[in-house]
Amino acid sequence: MLFARDVIPFPGGDNSSDTILGGVHFNLTTLEHWNYTLYSNNTVSNGSWCYLTFERWTADLLLENGTWVNGTKCWSPIDPIGVRAGVGIGFSVLFGLSLVLTLVALGRRWQWYWAIWTIATALISLLTVMDVDRYYLPELPIILTSFFWFLMQMGAMAIVWEAVRHWGSWMERQFIDPDPYALREDDTRSQIEFYLPLVYYLFWWLNFFLIVPRSWTAIQHQRYPEQIINDAAPTATSARFKAAAFMLVICWFLTLASLRTSIKYYRPRNRGIINRVIGFIKFTPMRFKILLPLAAAVPAFQALVAWHFDFSPLKVEGNLPAIYAGGYLPSLLIIYVQAIFGFLNPNEDKELQHQRQERTLQLNNEMGIVPKPTWWKRINGEMVNPNESMRDALVRNVREIQGNKPRPTNPDAIPGGDGGVNNQVRDVEMSPLPSPTYRQQQTPSPTIPSPAYNGKSERRRQERAMQAAAGMLFPQSSSEQASEAARRRAELVMDGPPPPPPPPPAVAVVINTPPPPYPDSTTQERRPSMQTTGSAATSTNQPPQRIRSMLDV
């Protein structure tokens, strides 16, 4: 309750230098020395200090140095809670309940984060309203409740914007999930969706900078009617507050433009202006049909209080129905609508998985594929172990390609085997190579070894290396290796150069032994011919001809 601030004389006391304030005697000379003045609202002040002068709150003593003993300053919460504070407590309870619902329905979208921001700022603003009523003269609480009220308004607008924008993102995800190339990345749609959020938050932050970074001291100057008219009202209705409200109006129209863009590109198109308007209303979700009018009320009320101070939350004794109905109720309803539809609407990621399953079933029906039940894989040993390693996954894939079924092996037959899941199959690729000690302990294999190549042919050296790698990756049985070696030798004999011709049988009978099959390009010897000539002894005593490689032929 505000009082008229009129200067009144100090009441008389026992003598000319004594005065009585609230039943306590004070030295009038000391009061006048420190330039204290008595006002009609039962306060005494010198411009720097202000103290109450009525009973129960009056100081016990005033020292000569101007110090008040047990004095109560004018800006103290001594009054009971009023109507404004009582209604504010009720709204704070509703906002607190909405915080619980928001946290339960919390998703991965920014609309929920802005909802938490809005609830937090609303609670601070509503709780400080109690001190607005309890303070004998207005001071810091009216500034705090007004400051956080503006932040709450900004958060409510951001909730609606992010809800609309992420609904468009959800429409886009449903388009590109079945076909990643269904939408272009360089068309008008993508440009609008990229730049529109930047433009929106530009005007949103302009609203913030027009309101917050300024001097708020004049708002608390509402201690008497003249001070309200000269200081508080002009500050609360200044050009900056009016321009800030206009920034939120632009933000609301940008939100509407975002919704129109999403409906245009992700919903069936309509021809003609009238059909487009009908289609816009038809394809707008019910949630936005409720949120957009509520969001429009936010900048509308902010513009109203920027022109009319009587309806403003910045006024201590403002119009309470207008303050709570227009200032707090739209933001509260926006949060509750979001929470309710957050429970009703399915999770987007789960819905995408459901759509993928439906597409898979449709494709299987078109191709005549009947998926096997879960128990089929279980009884056939095809169940995938969720804890299997990457190596086991590769082994399982190779086994499925080769058509092999998993079969248990003796862990003692495998070096380091423990009979576990990782040692079920050792006869396919990706099996670990045995250690040198293990190889020494094993008996020689009856398979035909692949000798190391010592020739000069680089091509043959690469072939031998590839054969060795293939043998380790794709092991074969002994019979398969023997047949493969025989096939390889026959192929080399067929493709390689023919053996050198025998010498002409001119003088003696030449006994030639048939040459062995040409094995490969490794170093080997030719069998000399037995000749009965005059130089037979010489030819038999000479060393046999040695072919070092195929390049010497």
Short mmCIF file of all heavy atoms in Angstrom, two decimals, residues 300-346:
data_model
loop_
_atom_site.label_atom_id
_atom_site.label_comp_id
_atom_site.label_asym_id
_atom_site.label_seq_id
_atom_site.Cartn_x
_atom_site.Cartn_y
_atom_site.Cartn_z
N ALA A 300 1.33 -9.65 -27.60
CA ALA A 300 0.22 -8.69 -27.52
C ALA A 300 0.15 -8.06 -26.13
O ALA A 300 -0.02 -6.84 -25.99
CB ALA A 300 -1.09 -9.39 -27.87
N PHE A 301 0.26 -8.87 -25.08
CA PHE A 301 0.20 -8.31 -23.73
C PHE A 301 1.45 -7.49 -23.42
O PHE A 301 1.38 -6.48 -22.72
CB PHE A 301 0.06 -9.44 -22.71
CG PHE A 301 -0.11 -8.96 -21.30
CD1 PHE A 301 -1.33 -8.47 -20.86
CD2 PHE A 301 0.96 -8.97 -20.41
CE1 PHE A 301 -1.49 -8.02 -19.56
CE2 PHE A 301 0.80 -8.51 -19.11
CZ PHE A 301 -0.43 -8.04 -18.69
N GLN A 302 2.60 -7.92 -23.95
CA GLN A 302 3.82 -7.14 -23.71
C GLN A 302 3.72 -5.78 -24.38
O GLN A 302 4.22 -4.78 -23.84
CB GLN A 302 5.03 -7.92 -24.24
CG GLN A 302 6.35 -7.35 -23.76
CD GLN A 302 7.53 -8.24 -24.09
OE1 GLN A 302 8.48 -7.80 -24.74
NE2 GLN A 302 7.46 -9.49 -23.66
N ALA A 303 3.08 -5.72 -25.54
CA ALA A 303 2.86 -4.42 -26.18
C ALA A 303 1.84 -3.58 -25.40
O ALA A 303 1.97 -2.35 -25.30
CB ALA A 303 2.39 -4.63 -27.61
N LEU A 304 0.83 -4.23 -24.82
CA LEU A 304 -0.17 -3.51 -24.04
C LEU A 304 0.46 -2.82 -22.83
O LEU A 304 0.21 -1.63 -22.56
CB LEU A 304 -1.27 -4.47 -23.58
CG LEU A 304 -2.34 -3.89 -22.65
CD1 LEU A 304 -3.14 -2.81 -23.35
CD2 LEU A 304 -3.25 -5.00 -22.13
N VAL A 305 1.30 -3.56 -22.09
CA VAL A 305 1.90 -2.96 -20.89
C VAL A 305 2.96 -1.94 -21.26
O VAL A 305 3.33 -1.09 -20.42
CB VAL A 305 2.49 -4.05 -19.99
CG1 VAL A 305 1.43 -5.05 -19.59
CG2 VAL A 305 3.66 -4.78 -20.67
N ALA A 306 3.48 -1.99 -22.48
CA ALA A 306 4.45 -0.98 -22.91
C ALA A 306 3.79 0.36 -23.18
O ALA A 306 4.48 1.40 -23.20
CB ALA A 306 5.20 -1.46 -24.15
N TRP A 307 2.47 0.36 -23.39
CA TRP A 307 1.73 1.61 -23.60
C TRP A 307 0.88 2.01 -22.39
O TRP A 307 0.62 3.19 -22.21
CB TRP A 307 0.85 1.47 -24.84
CG TRP A 307 1.51 1.94 -26.10
CD1 TRP A 307 1.51 3.21 -26.60
CD2 TRP A 307 2.27 1.17 -27.01
NE1 TRP A 307 2.24 3.28 -27.77
CE2 TRP A 307 2.71 2.03 -28.06
CE3 TRP A 307 2.66 -0.18 -27.07
CZ2 TRP A 307 3.48 1.60 -29.13
CZ3 TRP A 307 3.42 -0.60 -28.13
CH2 TRP A 307 3.84 0.27 -29.15
N HIS A 308 0.44 1.02 -21.59
CA HIS A 308 -0.42 1.31 -20.46
C HIS A 308 0.22 0.71 -19.20
O HIS A 308 0.25 -0.51 -19.02
CB HIS A 308 -1.81 0.72 -20.67
CG HIS A 308 -2.50 1.27 -21.88
ND1 HIS A 308 -3.14 2.50 -21.90
CD2 HIS A 308 -2.66 0.75 -23.13
CE1 HIS A 308 -3.65 2.71 -23.09
NE2 HIS A 308 -3.38 1.67 -23.85
N PHE A 309 0.72 1.58 -18.34
CA PHE A 309 1.45 1.15 -17.16
C PHE A 309 0.54 0.53 -16.11
O PHE A 309 0.99 -0.28 -15.29
CB PHE A 309 2.20 2.35 -16.56
CG PHE A 309 3.05 2.00 -15.39
CD1 PHE A 309 4.12 1.12 -15.52
CD2 PHE A 309 2.79 2.55 -14.14
CE1 PHE A 309 4.91 0.81 -14.44
CE2 PHE A 309 3.57 2.23 -13.05
CZ PHE A 309 4.64 1.36 -13.21
N ASP A 310 -0.76 0.84 -16.13
CA ASP A 310 -1.66 0.32 -15.11
C ASP A 310 -1.84 -1.19 -15.19
O ASP A 310 -2.13 -1.83 -14.18
CB ASP A 310 -3.03 1.01 -15.22
CG ASP A 310 -2.96 2.47 -14.86
OD1 ASP A 310 -2.02 2.85 -14.12
OD2 ASP A 310 -3.81 3.25 -15.33
N PHE A 311 -1.67 -1.77 -16.39
CA PHE A 311 -1.83 -3.23 -16.56
C PHE A 311 -0.49 -3.97 -16.47
O PHE A 311 -0.45 -5.18 -16.69
CB PHE A 311 -2.48 -3.54 -17.90
CG PHE A 311 -3.81 -2.88 -18.09
CD1 PHE A 311 -3.94 -1.72 -18.85
CD2 PHE A 311 -4.95 -3.41 -17.51
CE1 PHE A 311 -5.17 -1.12 -19.02
CE2 PHE A 311 -6.18 -2.82 -17.68
CZ PHE A 311 -6.29 -1.66 -18.43
N SER A 312 0.57 -3.29 -16.19
CA SER A 312 1.90 -3.88 -16.25
C SER A 312 2.26 -4.59 -14.96
O SER A 312 1.94 -4.12 -13.85
CB SER A 312 2.93 -2.78 -16.54
OG SER A 312 4.24 -3.31 -16.52
N PRO A 313 2.95 -5.73 -15.05
CA PRO A 313 3.49 -6.36 -13.84
C PRO A 313 4.56 -5.52 -13.17
O PRO A 313 4.93 -5.79 -12.02
CB PRO A 313 4.07 -7.68 -14.36
CG PRO A 313 3.40 -7.92 -15.67
CD PRO A 313 3.16 -6.56 -16.24
N LEU A 314 5.07 -4.51 -13.86
CA LEU A 314 6.09 -3.64 -13.28
C LEU A 314 5.51 -2.68 -12.25
O LEU A 314 6.27 -2.05 -11.50
CB LEU A 314 6.81 -2.84 -14.37
CG LEU A 314 7.86 -3.58 -15.22
CD1 LEU A 314 7.22 -4.61 -16.12
CD2 LEU A 314 8.68 -2.59 -16.03
N LYS A 315 4.19 -2.53 -12.22
CA LYS A 315 3.55 -1.64 -11.26
C LYS A 315 3.21 -2.41 -10.00
O LYS A 315 2.65 -3.50 -10.05
CB LYS A 315 2.30 -1.02 -11.88
CG LYS A 315 1.68 0.06 -11.01
CD LYS A 315 0.49 0.71 -11.69
CE LYS A 315 -0.09 1.82 -10.81
NZ LYS A 315 -1.25 2.49 -11.44
N VAL A 316 3.51 -1.83 -8.87
CA VAL A 316 3.28 -2.51 -7.59
C VAL A 316 1.80 -2.74 -7.36
O VAL A 316 1.38 -3.83 -6.96
CB VAL A 316 3.91 -1.70 -6.44
CG1 VAL A 316 3.57 -2.33 -5.10
CG2 VAL A 316 5.41 -1.60 -6.62
N GLU A 317 1.00 -1.76 -7.60
CA GLU A 317 -0.44 -1.88 -7.41
C GLU A 317 -1.16 -1.90 -8.76
O GLU A 317 -2.13 -1.19 -8.99
CB GLU A 317 -0.96 -0.73 -6.54
CG GLU A 317 -0.45 -0.77 -5.12
CD GLU A 317 -1.07 0.30 -4.25
OE1 GLU A 317 -1.72 1.21 -4.81
OE2 GLU A 317 -0.92 0.24 -3.02
N GLY A 318 -0.66 -2.74 -9.66
CA GLY A 318 -1.26 -2.84 -10.98
C GLY A 318 -2.54 -3.65 -10.96
O GLY A 318 -2.99 -4.16 -9.92
N ASN A 319 -3.16 -3.77 -12.13
CA ASN A 319 -4.41 -4.51 -12.29
C ASN A 319 -4.11 -6.01 -12.21
O ASN A 319 -3.56 -6.61 -13.14
CB ASN A 319 -5.05 -4.16 -13.63
CG ASN A 319 -6.46 -4.68 -13.76
OD1 ASN A 319 -6.76 -5.80 -13.34
ND2 ASN A 319 -7.34 -3.87 -14.32
N LEU A 320 -4.46 -6.65 -11.10
CA LEU A 320 -4.09 -8.04 -10.88
C LEU A 320 -4.73 -9.01 -11.88
O LEU A 320 -4.05 -9.92 -12.37
CB LEU A 320 -4.41 -8.44 -9.44
CG LEU A 320 -3.63 -7.71 -8.35
CD1 LEU A 320 -4.00 -8.27 -6.98
CD2 LEU A 320 -2.13 -7.82 -8.58
N PRO A 321 -6.03 -8.91 -12.20
CA PRO A 321 -6.59 -9.82 -13.21
C PRO A 321 -5.87 -9.73 -14.55
O PRO A 321 -5.62 -10.76 -15.19
CB PRO A 321 -8.06 -9.38 -13.31
CG PRO A 321 -8.36 -8.76 -12.00
CD PRO A 321 -7.09 -8.08 -11.59
N ALA A 322 -5.52 -8.52 -14.96
CA ALA A 322 -4.81 -8.37 -16.23
C ALA A 322 -3.39 -8.93 -16.14
O ALA A 322 -2.88 -9.55 -17.07
CB ALA A 322 -4.78 -6.90 -16.64
N ILE A 323 -2.73 -8.72 -14.99
CA ILE A 323 -1.35 -9.18 -14.85
C ILE A 323 -1.26 -10.70 -14.92
O ILE A 323 -0.41 -11.24 -15.64
CB ILE A 323 -0.76 -8.66 -13.51
CG1 ILE A 323 -0.58 -7.15 -13.57
CG2 ILE A 323 0.56 -9.36 -13.20
CD1 ILE A 323 -0.12 -6.54 -12.26
N TYR A 324 -2.14 -11.40 -14.22
CA TYR A 324 -2.04 -12.86 -14.20
C TYR A 324 -2.71 -13.51 -15.41
O TYR A 324 -2.22 -14.52 -15.92
CB TYR A 324 -2.65 -13.40 -12.91
CG TYR A 324 -1.76 -13.19 -11.71
CD1 TYR A 324 -2.03 -12.20 -10.77
CD2 TYR A 324 -0.61 -13.95 -11.55
CE1 TYR A 324 -1.21 -12.00 -9.67
CE2 TYR A 324 0.21 -13.76 -10.46
CZ TYR A 324 -0.07 -12.78 -9.53
OH TYR A 324 0.77 -12.58 -8.45
N ALA A 325 -3.81 -12.96 -15.88
CA ALA A 325 -4.49 -13.55 -17.04
C ALA A 325 -3.71 -13.31 -18.33
O ALA A 325 -3.64 -14.19 -19.19
CB ALA A 325 -5.90 -12.97 -17.16
N GLY A 326 -3.14 -12.14 -18.48
CA GLY A 326 -2.40 -11.85 -19.71
C GLY A 326 -0.91 -12.05 -19.60
O GLY A 326 -0.24 -12.28 -20.62
N GLY A 327 -0.35 -11.97 -18.38
CA GLY A 327 1.09 -12.06 -18.24
C GLY A 327 1.62 -13.44 -17.92
O GLY A 327 2.70 -13.82 -18.42
N TYR A 328 0.88 -14.23 -17.14
CA TYR A 328 1.37 -15.54 -16.72
C TYR A 328 0.57 -16.71 -17.29
O TYR A 328 1.14 -17.78 -17.54
CB TYR A 328 1.35 -15.63 -15.19
CG TYR A 328 2.37 -14.76 -14.51
CD1 TYR A 328 2.04 -13.48 -14.07
CD2 TYR A 328 3.67 -15.20 -14.30
CE1 TYR A 328 2.97 -12.67 -13.45
CE2 TYR A 328 4.61 -14.40 -13.66
CZ TYR A 328 4.25 -13.13 -13.24
OH TYR A 328 5.19 -12.34 -12.63
N LEU A 329 -0.71 -16.53 -17.49
CA LEU A 329 -1.54 -17.65 -17.91
C LEU A 329 -1.18 -18.19 -19.29
O LEU A 329 -1.12 -19.41 -19.47
CB LEU A 329 -3.01 -17.24 -17.87
CG LEU A 329 -4.03 -18.36 -18.16
CD1 LEU A 329 -3.87 -19.49 -17.15
CD2 LEU A 329 -5.45 -17.80 -18.15
N PRO A 330 -0.91 -17.36 -20.34
CA PRO A 330 -0.53 -17.94 -21.64
C PRO A 330 0.72 -18.81 -21.58
O PRO A 330 0.78 -19.89 -22.18
CB PRO A 330 -0.32 -16.70 -22.52
CG PRO A 330 -1.17 -15.64 -21.90
CD PRO A 330 -1.07 -15.90 -20.42
N SER A 331 1.73 -18.37 -20.84
CA SER A 331 2.95 -19.17 -20.73
C SER A 331 2.69 -20.48 -20.02
O SER A 331 3.22 -21.54 -20.39
CB SER A 331 4.03 -18.37 -19.99
OG SER A 331 4.32 -17.16 -20.66
N LEU A 332 1.85 -20.43 -18.97
CA LEU A 332 1.53 -21.65 -18.24
C LEU A 332 0.77 -22.64 -19.13
O LEU A 332 1.06 -23.84 -19.14
CB LEU A 332 0.70 -21.30 -17.01
CG LEU A 332 0.25 -22.47 -16.13
CD1 LEU A 332 1.46 -23.17 -15.52
CD2 LEU A 332 -0.70 -21.99 -15.04
N LEU A 333 -0.18 -22.14 -19.91
CA LEU A 333 -0.95 -23.03 -20.79
C LEU A 333 -0.07 -23.60 -21.90
O LEU A 333 -0.25 -24.75 -22.31
CB LEU A 333 -2.13 -22.25 -21.38
CG LEU A 333 -3.21 -21.83 -20.39
CD1 LEU A 333 -4.30 -21.04 -21.11
CD2 LEU A 333 -3.80 -23.05 -19.68
N ILE A 334 0.87 -22.83 -22.40
CA ILE A 334 1.79 -23.34 -23.43
C ILE A 334 2.57 -24.54 -22.91
O ILE A 334 2.72 -25.56 -23.58
CB ILE A 334 2.73 -22.21 -23.89
CG1 ILE A 334 1.97 -21.20 -24.76
CG2 ILE A 334 3.91 -22.79 -24.68
CD1 ILE A 334 2.80 -19.98 -25.14
N ILE A 335 3.05 -24.44 -21.68
CA ILE A 335 3.82 -25.55 -21.11
C ILE A 335 2.94 -26.78 -20.90
O ILE A 335 3.35 -27.91 -21.19
CB ILE A 335 4.46 -25.10 -19.79
CG1 ILE A 335 5.46 -23.97 -20.05
CG2 ILE A 335 5.15 -26.27 -19.10
CD1 ILE A 335 6.03 -23.36 -18.80
N TYR A 336 1.73 -26.59 -20.41
CA TYR A 336 0.84 -27.72 -20.18
C TYR A 336 0.41 -28.37 -21.49
O TYR A 336 0.31 -29.61 -21.56
CB TYR A 336 -0.38 -27.28 -19.37
CG TYR A 336 -0.17 -27.39 -17.89
CD1 TYR A 336 0.23 -26.28 -17.13
CD2 TYR A 336 -0.35 -28.59 -17.22
CE1 TYR A 336 0.43 -26.38 -15.76
CE2 TYR A 336 -0.15 -28.70 -15.85
CZ TYR A 336 0.25 -27.59 -15.13
OH TYR A 336 0.46 -27.70 -13.78
N VAL A 337 0.15 -27.59 -22.51
CA VAL A 337 -0.20 -28.17 -23.81
C VAL A 337 0.96 -29.00 -24.36
O VAL A 337 0.77 -30.11 -24.88
CB VAL A 337 -0.60 -27.06 -24.80
CG1 VAL A 337 -0.73 -27.60 -26.22
CG2 VAL A 337 -1.92 -26.42 -24.37
N GLN A 338 2.16 -28.48 -24.22
CA GLN A 338 3.33 -29.24 -24.65
C GLN A 338 3.47 -30.55 -23.89
O GLN A 338 3.77 -31.60 -24.48
CB GLN A 338 4.58 -28.39 -24.46
CG GLN A 338 4.82 -27.39 -25.56
CD GLN A 338 5.31 -28.06 -26.82
OE1 GLN A 338 4.53 -28.33 -27.74
NE2 GLN A 338 6.59 -28.36 -26.89
N ALA A 339 3.26 -30.50 -22.58
CA ALA A 339 3.41 -31.72 -21.77
C ALA A 339 2.33 -32.74 -22.12
O ALA A 339 2.61 -33.94 -22.23
CB ALA A 339 3.34 -31.36 -20.29
N ILE A 340 1.09 -32.29 -22.32
CA ILE A 340 0.01 -33.22 -22.64
C ILE A 340 0.26 -33.91 -23.97
O ILE A 340 0.15 -35.14 -24.09
CB ILE A 340 -1.34 -32.48 -22.63
CG1 ILE A 340 -1.69 -32.04 -21.21
CG2 ILE A 340 -2.45 -33.37 -23.20
CD1 ILE A 340 -2.92 -31.15 -21.13
N PHE A 341 0.61 -33.14 -24.99
CA PHE A 341 0.88 -33.76 -26.29
C PHE A 341 2.19 -34.53 -26.28
O PHE A 341 2.40 -35.41 -27.12
CB PHE A 341 0.90 -32.68 -27.38
CG PHE A 341 -0.46 -32.27 -27.83
CD1 PHE A 341 -1.12 -31.22 -27.23
CD2 PHE A 341 -1.10 -32.95 -28.85
CE1 PHE A 341 -2.38 -30.82 -27.64
CE2 PHE A 341 -2.37 -32.58 -29.27
CZ PHE A 341 -3.02 -31.51 -28.67
N GLY A 342 3.09 -34.20 -25.36
CA GLY A 342 4.29 -35.01 -25.23
C GLY A 342 3.99 -36.42 -24.75
O GLY A 342 4.66 -37.38 -25.15
N PHE A 343 2.95 -36.58 -23.93
CA PHE A 343 2.53 -37.90 -23.51
C PHE A 343 1.70 -38.61 -24.59
O PHE A 343 1.76 -39.83 -24.71
CB PHE A 343 1.70 -37.81 -22.22
CG PHE A 343 2.52 -37.55 -21.00
CD1 PHE A 343 2.56 -36.29 -20.42
CD2 PHE A 343 3.27 -38.56 -20.41
CE1 PHE A 343 3.32 -36.04 -19.28
CE2 PHE A 343 4.03 -38.32 -19.28
CZ PHE A 343 4.05 -37.06 -18.72
N LEU A 344 0.94 -37.85 -25.36
CA LEU A 344 0.08 -38.46 -26.37
C LEU A 344 0.84 -38.87 -27.61
O LEU A 344 0.58 -39.94 -28.19
CB LEU A 344 -1.05 -37.49 -26.75
CG LEU A 344 -2.04 -37.12 -25.63
CD1 LEU A 344 -3.06 -36.13 -26.15
CD2 LEU A 344 -2.73 -38.36 -25.08
N ASN A 345 1.77 -38.05 -28.06
CA ASN A 345 2.50 -38.36 -29.28
C ASN A 345 3.58 -39.41 -29.02
O ASN A 345 4.21 -39.41 -27.96
CB ASN A 345 3.16 -37.09 -29.83
CG ASN A 345 2.15 -36.06 -30.26
OD1 ASN A 345 1.02 -36.40 -30.62
ND2 ASN A 345 2.53 -34.79 -30.24
N PRO A 346 3.81 -40.31 -29.98
CA PRO A 346 4.84 -41.33 -29.79
C PRO A 346 6.24 -40.75 -29.93
O PRO A 346 6.43 -39.66 -30.48
CB PRO A 346 4.55 -42.34 -30.92
CG PRO A 346 3.90 -41.51 -31.99
CD PRO A 346 3.10 -40.46 -31.27
#
